[in-house]
């Protein structure tokens, strides 16, 4: 029954006047419901709020207000870090980054040629962006990859087109991290798909090889694999023959990542109902067409989250190459603060390194979330 | 049932049989699922296979396109013997369409892509031509308007009709139906059966495992009754339903009919 003015007029005189209902949506209602619902909830909110604000304020003080961004030079042409030392504890010494950022990013690469590794990093990022865009998912993309990776090789090594030659043991910093992880995953992923398929093969020899590979590689730590690649492997080579250390580390990373990714891919293959295989068989699709058109597209969509999880893990695991003396981003950062005048400013350097790693990992994570939404659209009715 | 309601037969008894099974045996482990099954299906013949669950009817038709491998005996389909020869198998599968109980559409592809996939990749048909063909068959199963949707957006009955269209797009000589209506809600069974009756009217060679006795009476040239892995009785629908010779068939029919 609707309440009209007429009805309202007939209401008894002693009708109770009610207040308007409380708001149920909006930030105020949300905080009332979740943060101030009762007295202990309110107490926890206030206590945590106090701590949060207190630490946020002291962090801002340290990182920005009291921070020292540049330092003057001494007569000898070296940076004078006295100001930093005096501010230690109360203010960050970002001067270490200002002074050392080129070393952290590019390691011992010849200083005058730093534009080359910089260009390489930009090329890598451009390659990621282009590959991430669906409209470029055509076979020509493989050509773009081949071209860009060749160009990256030319830029890093030089020795042609008037570029001076830079041997690999002088490479370092971010380009090394990007090279190891990009080549690592670009080769490990197809390898992983083949191994995962092989593990489910009906042919006993292929199956045995794939099982052996996965179990052997997964059974040892990456560090020991890197050690083997750098120390033991050369002992087996004939005299005079030498495969570069970076290449050996790269192969170790590919093999290691391949074993892990293979198990992720296999999980996706396992999750597909048998009916999908049977329907493809019944239509007369050959094994490779069935796999490429029906099985893998579905299986890989299912495992996007664990795949990206492994990708992110391996991006960071490339920092383990420091133990065989390869100068990746993390090692370059560590080395930058060895000089006596910069000793004690590790926090600033590590925060910077963490930010760089975070930017790459977070981009991967965000991209995968979008990919997952888009690819699994067919599951939503 | 009057003659007007039954479909005219298109059996070509003069031609070599479309499918010929001779003394086929199969075991799952120690379980003997097919016992000396011998069956010839003529070109254009419509055979309905029925029997209690676990009687081996599904296994039988799955052996015809080698989704299951038989261990003894011979199976010749469209003049080609089934063996380990993968080329021969591919040739047979091109000519034998199959419809499954659980539809088995490819969920990541649209309805149209489901239908054009095999013609494009197996028959090497140009994409446009395959799409025209697919639309033709989707029209015939009366769902052309769903072509751009994904299987998950369709009802069970619609999905099964798409599955029939998908199989037909390969323009097979033989169609196998493995309990096509068993996974459907009652109100959707009719739309699928209607589609199958329509198909039976085109002279397609069909083997259909089903419990739909009305369908069997209407379209079957022959009903095959299986129990415990062997063919117990076979004949024209009228003889099977009205004059069963064996106790097993009588028992089966009484159970089926009680349910209706």
């Amino acid at each position: 029954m609707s309440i009209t003015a007429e009805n309202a007029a007939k209401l008894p005189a002693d009708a109770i006047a009610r207040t308007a209902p409380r708001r149920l949506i909006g930030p105020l209602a949300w905080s009332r419901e979740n943060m101030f619902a009762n007295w202990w909830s309110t107490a926890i909110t206030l206590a945590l709020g106090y701590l949060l604000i207190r630490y946020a304020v002291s962090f801002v003080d340290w990182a920005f207000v009291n921070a020292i961004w540049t330092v003057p030079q001494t007569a000898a042409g070296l940076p004078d870090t006295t100001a930093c030392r005096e501010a230690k504890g109360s203010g960050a010494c970002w001067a270490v980054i200002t002074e050392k950022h080129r070393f952290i990013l590019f390691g011992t690469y010849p200083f005058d040629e730093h534009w080359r590794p910089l260009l390489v990093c930009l090329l890598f990022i451009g390659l990621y962006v282009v590959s991430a865009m669906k409209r470029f998912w055509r076979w020509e993309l493989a050509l773009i990859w081949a071209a860009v990776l060749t160009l990256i090789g030319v830029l890093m090594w030089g020795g042609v087109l008037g570029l001076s030659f830079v041997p690999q043991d002088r490479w370092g910093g971010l380009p090394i991290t990007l090279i190891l992880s990009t080549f690592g995953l670009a080769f490990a992923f197809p390898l992983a798909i083949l191994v995962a398929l092989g593990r489910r093969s009906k042919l006993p020899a292929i199956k045995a090889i794939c099982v052996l590979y996965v179990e052997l590689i997964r059974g040892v730590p990456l560090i020991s694999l890197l050690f083997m690649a750098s120390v033991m492997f050369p002992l087996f080579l004939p005299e005079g023959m030498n495969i570069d250390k970076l290449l050996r580390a790269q192969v170790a990373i590919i093999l290691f990542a391949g074993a892990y990714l293979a198990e992720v891919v296999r999980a996706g293959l396992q999750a597909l109902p048998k009916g999908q295989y049977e329907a493809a068989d019944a239509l007369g699709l050959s094994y490779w067409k069935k796999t490429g058109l029906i099985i893998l597209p579905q299986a890989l969509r299912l495992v996007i989250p664990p795949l990206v999880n492994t990708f992110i893990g391996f991006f960071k695991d490339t920092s383990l190459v420091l133990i065989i003396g390869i100068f990746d981003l993390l090692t370059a950062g560590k080395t930058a603060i060895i000089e006596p005048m910069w000793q004690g400013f590790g926090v600033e350097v590590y925060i910077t390194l963490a930010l760089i790693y975070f930017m790459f990992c977070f981009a991967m994570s965000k991209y995968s979330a979008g990919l997952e939404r888009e690819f699994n659209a067919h599951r939503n009715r | 049932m009057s003659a007007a309601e039954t479909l005219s037969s298109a059996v070509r008894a003069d031609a070599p049989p479309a499918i010929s099974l001779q003394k086929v045996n199969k075991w799952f482990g120690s379980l003997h699922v097919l016992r000396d099954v011998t069956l010839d299906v003529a070109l254009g013949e419509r055979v309905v296979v029925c029997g209690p669950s676990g009687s081996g009817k599904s296994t039988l038709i799955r052996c015809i396109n080698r989704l299951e491998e038989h261990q003894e005996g011979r199976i010749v389909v469209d003049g080609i013997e089934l063996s380990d020869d993968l080329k021969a198998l591919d040739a047979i599968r091109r000519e034998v369409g199959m419809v499954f109980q659980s539809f088995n559409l490819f969920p990541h592809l649209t309805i149209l892509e489901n239908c054009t996939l095999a013609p494009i990749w197996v028959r090497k048909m140009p994409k446009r031509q395959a799409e025209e063909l697919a639309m033709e068959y989707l029209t015939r199963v009366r769902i052309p308007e769903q072509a751009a949707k994904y299987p998950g957006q369709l009802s069970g009955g619609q999905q099964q009709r798409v599955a029939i269209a998908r199989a037909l797009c390969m323009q097979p000589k033989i169609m196998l139906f493995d309990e096509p209506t068993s996974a459907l809600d009652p109100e959707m069974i009719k739309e699928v059966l209607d589609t199958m009756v329509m198909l039976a009217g085109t002279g397609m060679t069909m083997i259909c495992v089903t419990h739909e006795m009305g369908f069997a009476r209407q379209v079957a040239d022959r009903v095959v009754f299986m129990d415990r892995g062997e063919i117990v009785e076979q004949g024209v629908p009228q003889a099977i339903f009205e004059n069963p010779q064996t106790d097993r068939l009588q028992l089966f029919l009484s159970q089926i009919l009680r349910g209706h």
Side-chain angles (χ1 to χ4, degrees):
Chain A
M1 192 184 291
S2 63
I3 298 173
T4 59
E6 208 178 317
N7 286 340
K10 281 187 217 153
L11 287 173
D14 58 346
I16 305 157
R18 284 182 296 179
T19 49
R22 287 181 143 201
R23 273 152 138 325
L24 291 174
I25 48 168
L28 260 178
W30 182 89
S31 66
R32 190 161 49 219
E33 179 147 329
N34 294 293
M35 297 165 84
F36 302 102
N38 45 41
W39 70 266
W40 51 267
S41 171
T42 309
I44 291 173
T45 303
L46 291 178
L48 288 178
Y50 169 73
L51 289 177
L52 194 69
I53 289 168
R54 210 189 124 161
Y55 282 104
V57 165
S58 53
F59 179 78
V60 168
D61 268 352
W62 177 80
F64 301 105
V65 181
N66 300 331
I68 290 166
W69 302 89
T70 49
V71 285
Q73 296 213 325
T74 57
L78 289 168
D80 175 14
T81 57
T82 339
C84 273
R85 304 238 167 253
E86 280 163 7
K88 197 154 170 43
S90 64
C93 178
W94 297 120
V96 64
I97 305 297
T98 322
E99 288 286 327
K100 285 287 184 183
H101 69 276
R102 287 179 68 163
F103 183 82
I104 293 171
L105 285 176
F106 306 126
T108 51
Y109 207 87
F111 194 81
D112 293 335
E113 304 286 332
H114 272 184
W115 62 272
R116 281 156 58 179
L118 177 66
L119 197 54
V120 163
C121 292
L122 295 177
L123 278 172
F124 267 124
I125 292 169
L127 195 58
Y128 303 151
V129 171
V130 167
S131 311
M133 285 195 270
K134 227 179 162 184
R135 82 178 89 141
F136 294 113
W137 290 4
R138 286 178 298 201
W139 68 270
E140 288 94 336
L141 191 59
L143 291 183
I144 295 180
W145 270 72
V148 172
L149 293 184
T150 314
L151 185 59
I152 282 169
V154 169
L155 280 170
M156 289 302 284
W157 266 301
V160 288
L161 304 171
L163 298 169
S164 58
F165 176 72
V166 179
Q168 255 153 296
D169 48 11
R170 297 206 55 187
W171 299 7
L174 188 57
I176 289 282
T177 297
L178 295 181
I179 287 171
L180 285 176
S181 42
T182 308
F183 280 91
L185 292 172
F187 284 95
F189 190 46
L191 173 72
I193 289 175
L194 290 179
V195 171
L197 292 171
R199 243 193 124 156
R200 291 168 56 86
S201 168
K202 283 185 199 142
L203 306 171
I206 290 183
K207 187 175 177 172
I209 290 172
C210 292
V211 171
L212 198 69
Y213 162 70
V214 170
E215 297 304 335
L216 272 185
I217 300 276
R218 267 202 314 186
V220 295
L222 178 55
I223 291 191
S224 68
L225 211 62
L226 287 171
F227 261 128
M228 273 194 267
S230 92
V231 182
M232 277 172 61
F233 184 67
L235 299 179
F236 299 114
L237 285 180
E239 199 147 342
M241 188 179 166
N242 186 25
I243 301 176
D244 178 76
K245 187 162 74 174
L246 186 64
L247 181 62
R248 279 180 272 137
Q250 180 75 79
V251 170
I253 285 177
I254 290 172
L255 290 178
F256 200 71
Y260 275 87
L261 289 171
E263 286 300 281
V264 173
V265 174
R266 193 167 70 93
L269 296 175
Q270 220 89 297
L272 275 200
K274 205 172 151 227
Q276 293 292 310
Y277 292 84
E278 288 180 349
D281 282 338
L283 284 171
L285 292 170
S286 65
Y287 175 80
W288 289 108
K289 282 176 189 157
K290 172 175 72 174
T291 306
L293 296 167
I294 307 298
I295 305 305
L296 280 179
Q298 293 187 67
L300 294 183
R301 277 166 213 220
L302 285 173
V303 294
I304 290 173
L307 268 184
V308 174
N309 195 28
T310 316
F311 276 23
I312 289 177
F314 269 92
F315 180 72
K316 294 177 295 179
D317 280 357
T318 54
S319 57
L320 287 174
V321 293
L322 81 95
I323 60 137
I324 55 170
I326 293 175
F327 247 68
D328 78 314
L329 182 61
L330 184 66
T331 321
K334 277 175 73 135
T335 316
I337 44 176
I338 280 178
E339 285 174 46
M341 58 203 140
W342 292 118
Q343 266 174 20
F345 300 108
V347 179
E348 290 83 348
V349 171
Y350 287 127
I351 286 179
T352 311
L353 293 179
L355 269 177
I356 295 175
Y357 276 107
F358 178 79
M359 281 191 296
F360 282 99
C361 294
F362 190 65
M364 274 193 259
S365 155
K366 277 315 241 188
Y367 177 66
S368 90
L371 209 57
E372 216 181 314
R373 246 195 321 277
E374 190 180 331
F375 265 169
N376 290 329
H378 68 269
R379 288 159 182 261
N380 307 329
R381 280 180 176 250
Chain B
M1 183 163 291
S2 70
E5 275 179 276
T6 39
L7 288 159
S8 59
S9 175
V11 178
R12 303 249 318 267
D14 48 326
I19 302 167
S20 172
L21 288 84
Q22 277 152 38
K23 297 233 170 230
V24 172
N25 277 286
K26 176 166 179 64
W27 290 262
F28 284 133
S30 61
L31 189 68
H32 200 170
V33 282
L34 292 179
R35 297 166 193 261
D36 282 341
V37 173
T38 297
L39 180 72
D40 276 353
V41 178
L43 207 60
E45 192 176 7
R46 299 171 298 243
V47 175
V48 164
V49 183
C50 62
S53 64
S55 58
K57 13 182 233 306
S58 284
T59 309
L60 175 74
I61 72 164
R62 288 160 61 86
C63 279
I64 292 171
N65 64 353
R66 215 173 173 78
L67 290 183
E68 306 280 0
E69 287 177 28
H70 60 288
Q71 283 134 3
E72 272 178 22
R74 295 183 64 198
I75 299 180
V76 179
V77 180
D78 192 29
I80 306 169
E81 174 158 11
L82 278 177
S83 61
D84 289 330
D85 180 0
L86 288 176
K87 276 234 165 73
L89 181 60
D90 284 344
I92 288 171
R93 283 175 171 170
R94 276 199 292 273
E95 303 306 331
V96 180
M98 186 157 198
V99 176
F100 299 86
Q101 180 177 352
S102 49
F103 328 137
N104 294 349
L105 293 178
F106 305 127
H108 63 300
L109 301 176
T110 63
I111 299 305
L112 188 65
E113 287 165 341
N114 263 279
C115 293
T116 56
L117 183 101
I120 290 173
W121 291 95
V122 180
R123 291 251 190 249
K124 313 279 178 218
M125 197 182 274
K127 193 174 170 213
R128 277 200 57 150
Q129 196 188 337
E131 282 175 354
E132 279 167 23
L133 184 73
M135 286 315 292
E136 189 188 320
Y137 281 110
L138 285 174
T139 310
R140 230 187 273 182
V141 300
R142 301 196 314 281
I143 33 175
E145 71 282 0
Q146 313 283 9
K149 288 195 182 166
Y150 285 97
Q153 297 168 305
L154 269 55
S155 74
Q158 289 174 323
Q159 288 194 47
Q160 192 61 299
R161 284 188 279 149
V162 172
I164 294 173
R166 177 178 71 177
L168 291 176
C169 282
M170 280 295 282
Q171 297 174 304
K173 292 179 182 156
I174 299 161
M175 282 286 283
L176 307 175
F177 292 86
D178 187 3
E179 305 207 29
T181 56
S182 301
L184 294 175
D185 291 334
E187 75 270 22
M188 292 169 185
I189 290 178
K190 187 173 176 300
E191 63 185 61
V192 172
L193 287 181
D194 285 348
T195 308
M196 289 165 66
V197 171
M198 176 276 291
L199 184 62
T202 64
M204 173 74 75
T205 309
M206 288 166 71
I207 300 188
C208 183
V209 173
T210 184
H211 291 295
E212 296 295 331
M213 293 304 140
F215 172 77
R217 277 174 190 271
Q218 197 182 347
V219 307
D221 296 307
R222 183 158 39 131
V223 174
V224 173
F225 172 66
M226 285 185 77
D227 190 18
R228 284 176 236 152
E230 54 194 355
I231 294 179
V232 178
E233 211 170 313
Q234 52 180 311
V236 294
Q238 206 170 9
I240 290 287
F241 293 128
E242 279 152 34
N243 191 16
Q245 302 295 311
T246 56
D247 294 344
R248 284 199 257 177
L249 179 53
Q250 277 169 17
L251 179 69
F252 175 70
L253 286 175
S254 70
Q255 281 164 343
I256 285 272
L257 295 177
R258 200 181 304 147
H260 282 260

